[in-house]
Amino acid sequence: MQSNDARILRGSALVAAPVGIVATVVSALVAGEKGLVGGLVALAVVAVFFGLGSYALMRITQNTPQVAMTAGLLVYTVQILLIGVFIVAFQDATFFNGRAFGLSLLVTALSWVGGQVKQSLTSRMLYVQPEPSVAPKEAAGAAGAESRDAA
């Protein structure tokens, strides 16, 4: 994992965690125990799906940075589809409040994406990896050979 990727992942989590906690507390106050469970499940779903998605994107683009845009769109599409599948699978669940779950999920997911955008815009990333055109030993050897030929 590159340092920029780790910084973006950490920044996203640091933005989303407090928002998710506040959403969970509000859910608990409004909907009681089932609201608390709904908020906690939403927080866990966002942490797992978006955390794993970010990690997958980092792994995909580690060796082939040219596919970053395509891989990013694919990862986000899969994340949203998996969240949709999760929502459909648990729409009739009685152990948590569905409205508290949905609103907590929405707020926490949007804050995660906002944290990613903020970190991506404020981080200083090189677009290319600078590589010297001549290795240091070869450059020194070539300069010494030229000075001997001139003499």
Side-chain angles (χ1 to χ4, degrees):
M1 180 182 305
Q2 296 179 1
S3 64
N4 290 332
D5 294 337
R7 192 175 314 121
I8 291 171
L9 182 61
R10 188 173 41 254
S12 302
L14 288 175
V15 169
V19 172
I21 291 170
V22 168
T24 302
V25 169
V26 169
S27 296
L29 292 175
V30 171
E33 184 179 328
K34 289 187 177 191
L36 174 67
V37 173
L40 290 173
V41 170
L43 188 59
V45 166
V46 169
V48 168
F49 287 158
F50 282 85
L52 289 176
S54 295
Y55 180 73
L57 184 61
M58 290 175 210
R59 295 287 296 170
I60 291 169
T61 59
Q62 184 176 9
N63 296 328
T64 53
Q66 302 86 347
V67 300
M69 182 62 77
T70 305
L73 290 172
L74 177 67
V75 166
Y76 287 127
T77 302
V78 169
Q79 286 173 337
I80 297 303
L81 287 173
L82 286 175
I83 288 174
V85 166
F86 187 87
I87 289 171
V88 169
F90 289 98
Q91 70 183 0
D92 295 326
T94 58
F95 63 91
F96 65 80
N97 184 309
R99 181 165 287 172
F101 167 74
L103 291 174
S104 298
L105 180 76
L106 179 66
V107 170
T108 308
L110 288 176
S111 64
W112 181 284
V113 172
Q116 277 185 325
V117 169
K118 179 197 170 287
Q119 288 293 5
S120 295
L121 291 176
T122 58
S123 66
R124 297 178 185 254
M125 290 186 280
L126 297 174
Y127 291 102
V128 295
Q129 292 295 331
E131 294 181 20
S133 57
V134 178
K137 289 183 179 180
E138 292 175 11
E146 288 176 10
S147 63
R148 283 184 292 202
D149 292 339

